[in-house]
Amino acid sequence: MLFRSLILGTSKFPPLRRLVTKSKLFRPLVRRFVAGETLDDAISAAETECEKGLFVSLDLLGENVATETEATQARRAYEEIIDRIAASPHKSEINISIKLTALGLDQGDEVAERNFRTLLSRAAQHDIFVRADMEASEYTERTIAMIERVFPDFANTGTVLQSYLHRTPGDVTKMIDLGARVRIVKGAYLEPASVAHQEKERVDQEYLIAAKRLLKDGHYPAIATQDQAIIEELKQFVVTENIAKDSFEWQMLYGIRRDLQEGLRKEGFNVRVYIPYGDQWYPYFTRRLAERPANLLFIIRSTVKG
Ligand SMILES: Cc1cc2nc3c(=O)[nH]c(=O)nc-3n(C[C@H](O)[C@H](O)[C@H](O)COP(=O)(O)OP(=O)(O)OC[C@H]3O[C@@H](n4cnc5c(N)ncnc54)[C@H](O)[C@@H]3O)c2cc1C
């Protein structure tokens, strides 16, 4: 947890950001987590995963736009993704993940909602699901409220809940009652003790509680984790509770634990790979570094060797 706080805390310093985004040193590791910079790269990575029997969620990297114009541009870029998915032979296996701050949440709820509804309407025409990712805790309430407002008109959306937040058990109930799809994750941001559990054991424990509730009473939940111990416990739960394999899906990040992804698929589970792409990869990349000290060691080792 200390390593995580250190990386997430220092990553916001502009000189460090410049160093990481300009230096070639980080490129091999960035490419491990990010499918490429263009939509062509993303579609090609998605189709490769689909050919292995996996499902995909595409994320055009970008968050916290500065103006309404940028929010409109982000929406248009997502519309282009929808059209490309609709034209793919793997259309039914690919969906979209989006951050509401990319659609203008910092510019106001109305701006983000207008863009979100336009996008959902276009996606609905092609039967494509669009999930609102969950960002830092300052946005949680507004993201949940947005889903509550748009879901009655667009059943092709849902969101993400983070087990580290104290408020999540209440949000699980809300989303089950609403009928919206939930992706359960541990949570990737640096949050204070006033809003989030700080100990890994507690976050894991809360994850299991939320995931089990969603598996029993949720609506096609997504169990998103690379944590093998949690996966094993939930697999056992699914058997003892007689939960159908096709009533939920596992989700994992592109480039992480491919062995687990393919193993679960071979066991007959639905597995979706979250594929990020685009040139705005820095915040996503630092969150992935923060999750695993070994990722940073990989860079240090390549520097020493080079
Ligand atoms: C599909 C998907 C979507 C997500 N969406 C969101 C979201 O909307 N909002 C949000 O806050 N968070 C999101 N996350 C991130 C999540 O909150 C966690 O930060 C992340 O999944 C790591 O937690 P873990 O459950 O894998 O468990 P951990 O305890 O962090 O990791 C378990 C094991 O997984 C492997 N592993 C985990 N991370 C890495 C890594 N970066 N590099 C290499 N190996 C790794 C290691 O073997 C590690 O021991 C998402 C995660 C996934 C899988």
Side-chain angles (χ1 to χ4, degrees), residues 4 32-33 57 97 99 131-136 160-162 164 183-189 200 204 207 223-228 230 250-257 260 272-274 287-292 295:
R4 185 169 169 271
R32 193 185 135 191
F33 296 127
S57 193
S97 293
K99 295 195 170 41
R131 189 181 304 269
D133 279 347
M134 191 57 82
E135 304 181 63
V160 180
L161 297 177
Q162 299 152 322
Y164 64 11
R183 171 199 298 149
I184 182 76
V185 301
K186 291 186 187 177
Y189 297 82
K200 179 178 162 42
D204 289 0
Y207 187 97
I223 311 299
T225 182
Q226 287 89 210
D227 188 324
Q228 203 159 0
I230 285 185
W250 303 101
Q251 291 192 354
M252 293 187 211
L253 300 175
Y254 181 75
I256 300 180
R257 297 300 311 259
L260 268 183
R272 191 175 300 274
V273 185
Y274 181 103
R287 290 196 288 273
R288 302 294 77 83
L289 278 189
E291 279 154 7
R292 200 160 174 254
N295 288 333

Side-chain angles (χ1 to χ4, degrees), residues 261-280:
Q261 298 171 11
E262 290 172 26
L264 285 167
R265 182 66 200 126
K266 283 201 187 95
E267 288 172 48
F269 291 105
N270 290 339
V271 181
R272 191 175 300 274
V273 185
Y274 181 103
I275 300 189
Y277 78 97
D279 55 8
Q280 305 292 309

Side-chain angles (χ1 to χ4, degrees), residues 63-66 100-101 103-109 112 138-139 142:
E63 46 203 89
N64 296 101
V65 296
L100 292 180
T101 62
L103 294 182
L105 205 55
D106 288 332
Q107 286 65 48
D109 284 359
E138 62 192 287
Y139 300 109
R142 292 164 65 203

Side-chain angles (χ1 to χ4, degrees), residues 20-62:
V20 175
T21 50
K22 300 274 176 278
S23 164
K24 286 207 170 63
L25 195 63
F26 293 87
R27 290 307 153 105
L29 197 54
V30 172
R31 276 313 292 254
R32 193 185 135 191
F33 296 127
V34 176
E37 299 217 338
T38 66
L39 181 53
D40 281 344
D41 293 335
I43 293 288
S44 143
E47 289 180 342
T48 304
E49 298 299 335
C50 293
E51 271 144 34
K52 288 191 252 167
L54 302 167
F55 298 156
V56 166
S57 193
L58 284 181
D59 168 31
L60 170 58
L61 292 168

